[in-house]
Amino acid sequence: MNSPLGTRLSQSGRPKVWLTLAIILVLVLTLSCSLASGTDVSVQQTLAALAVQQTILAQQSGQNQQATAQAEQATQVAMEVQATLMAQQGTQMAQPTAQPPPPEVVVSPPPLQPATSPEPAVDLDELIKSAKILLYEDMAGTGQLELVQEALDMGGYTYKDDGSAMGWFKEDLLSGTKWNLIIAASERRTSIQGEFFVYLMDYINKGTAIIIEHWAIDDISQGKIAPVMAKCGVAMYRDWFVPFGIQPNLSVWFLKPDHPLFQDPNHGMSLRNFGNFWSTSQDKGDLLKLTGSGDAELLAGTIATSKSDHGTLVSCMGGRLIIQTHSSHEYSRADITNLYQNYIYYALKNHFLYTQ
């Protein structure tokens, strides 16, 4: 049985224990609040449980000294835990705050474009100088100047020369060679006709440049040459005939002096300086007229003011076909060779512009 004194002591010591426990509890709660933002929740719960446990032990113990010692021990544990937490918090504050990595910017490459190389510029002069040219000139073997051959040589062209051999000419026309230019110069009083114009028409339809010199179209105008003339847009106007005893006027006038055919590569030519080379013949050639079909242009004729008939020089098929019906040897050699060079250049230029 406890004595009243012991009771008083126990009762008087009990408030001190409660006060100590209350201080510990307040300390733990304060520490928990101050470190709540950065302290592990399990540590806070452990401190609270420890304080409650010590309170219960103090209540159950009847000995003031034991309760006081336990309270002091709890206080010491709380202080050590507080020091540990503060040290951890200081370490965390010393470490740089980890920043979230910046969002990765994905730059999509531009869509791939098909590899293209600029097309090289077409050098027309180079194409013209390297053209495949076939020549038939029936003045070969007569002992007279071959004016077309001379024009080709002076122009620096490479060509296949069949001379006046119609058999060779036919073979080359049927050889399958992709000729860029075919020249059929039939000035002599015997001439190509018939099937040759069928072959030439095939090349015309393929875009090949063609130059025809023929003095007797009137004799064959209803024959194989008719489709060529119809496609060109010209027809026979009349025969150029000079009766015996009359001094012939063989002047030919340029109807369009500024036309490119008269400018490049030569200019200043004239067909009014004439002789009478074919003096034994009254037939000096043929005169042509426009039909209104095709794209034919009369470029030269026997009457300077007549633009649609009396023609002896015509260009058509976009400049790829040239027909001459006056005889080259009636005029100045220099004028004819220069003019033929222009024919060749003009026809080839239009051929390559058409086929490229």
Side-chain angles (χ1 to χ4, degrees):
M1 182 174 179
N2 294 331
S3 64
L5 178 59
T7 302
R8 287 196 299 270
L9 289 174
S10 177
Q11 291 176 349
S12 64
R14 192 171 296 169
K16 293 181 181 179
V17 172
W18 283 107
L19 178 60
T20 302
L21 292 176
I23 291 172
I24 292 174
L25 181 60
V26 170
L27 178 61
V28 171
L29 291 176
T30 301
L31 181 61
S32 299
C33 290
S34 63
L35 300 178
S37 59
T39 305
D40 192 295
V41 176
S42 61
V43 176
Q44 298 174 12
Q45 293 174 346
T46 301
L47 292 174
L50 180 61
V52 172
Q53 182 182 11
Q54 294 301 323
T55 301
I56 295 172
L57 290 174
Q59 290 176 344
Q60 292 177 353
S61 175
Q63 299 177 1
N64 293 337
Q65 292 181 352
Q66 183 179 3
T68 300
Q70 291 174 347
E72 290 177 352
Q73 183 178 4
T75 300
Q76 182 66 30
V77 171
M79 292 178 68
E80 292 177 356
V81 171
Q82 180 184 15
T84 300
L85 291 176
M86 289 181 68
Q88 291 178 351
Q89 186 179 25
T91 302
Q92 292 175 356
M93 291 179 65
Q95 295 177 350
T97 304
Q99 297 295 329
E104 182 179 359
V105 178
V106 179
V107 179
S108 300
L112 294 176
Q113 299 295 330
T116 57
S117 57
E119 296 184 1
V122 176
D123 189 335
L124 280 177
D125 286 339
E126 183 177 341
L127 290 174
I128 290 169
K129 289 300 182 183
S130 61
K132 291 184 177 181
I133 301 173
L134 176 62
L135 172 63
Y136 170 83
E137 186 175 13
D138 68 359
M139 292 299 288
T142 65
Q144 303 296 325
L145 287 173
E146 297 173 48
L147 296 176
V148 182
Q149 183 188 68
E150 184 174 70
L152 287 165
D153 291 340
M154 292 176 63
Y157 295 98
T158 301
Y159 57 95
K160 173 71 163 52
D161 184 9
D162 286 340
S164 59
M166 286 188 286
W168 293 353
F169 188 46
K170 179 178 177 178
E171 288 179 4
D172 284 327
L173 290 174
L174 299 177
S175 67
T177 302
K178 295 181 179 180
W179 302 106
N180 302 120
L181 171 63
I182 300 171
I183 303 174
S186 181
E187 183 184 355
R188 209 167 88 183
R189 281 357 196 200
T190 58
S191 59
I192 61 169
Q193 54 187 323
E195 61 181 324
F196 287 94
F197 293 104
V198 176
Y199 309 146
L200 292 175
M201 187 64 179
D202 289 340
Y203 280 97
I204 289 171
N205 290 333
K206 295 174 184 177
T208 303
I210 307 289
I211 299 173
I212 298 173
E213 179 180 343
H214 207 293
W215 63 277
I217 289 180
D218 59 320
D219 294 336
I220 59 174
S221 61
Q222 300 305 314
K224 303 295 186 180
I225 197 175
V228 176
M229 297 179 68
K231 190 175 183 68
C232 179
V234 293
M236 275 295 301
Y237 177 64
R238 66 176 63 163
D239 188 23
W240 189 7
F241 187 83
V242 179
F244 279 115
I246 298 177
Q247 184 66 30
N249 179 5
L250 304 181
S251 291
V252 172
W253 301 82
F254 293 160
L255 304 178
K256 298 181 178 180
D258 295 331
H259 194 277
L261 184 140
F262 300 128
Q263 305 301 321
D264 202 3
N266 306 305
H267 62 278
M269 295 80 66
S270 173
L271 295 180
R272 297 194 301 276
N273 299 320
F274 61 89
N276 191 13
F277 184 84
W278 297 103
S279 59
T280 59
S281 175
Q282 284 72 52
D283 195 343
K284 300 303 180 181
D286 292 314
L287 304 178
L288 305 176
K289 65 179 180 180
L290 298 178
T291 62
S293 62
D295 64 343
E297 297 179 276
L298 292 186
L299 300 180
T302 58
I303 299 179
T305 57
S306 181
K307 309 290 184 175
S308 59
D309 52 36
H310 291 84
T312 65
L313 180 64
V314 62
S315 169
C316 57
M317 309 288 185
R320 301 188 307 278
L321 174 60
I322 296 172
I323 302 174
Q324 175 187 306
T325 60
H326 58 262
S327 297
S328 292
H329 278 76
E330 299 283 15
Y331 305 92
S332 161
R333 173 183 178 180
D335 287 332
I336 290 298
T337 53
N338 286 340
L339 187 59
Y340 248 102
Q341 285 183 43
N342 284 24
Y343 291 175
I344 294 163
Y345 182 86
Y346 183 72
L348 280 173
K349 176 181 178 180
N350 289 298
H351 158 70
F352 285 115
L353 289 175
Y354 177 78
T355 57
Q356 293 303 309

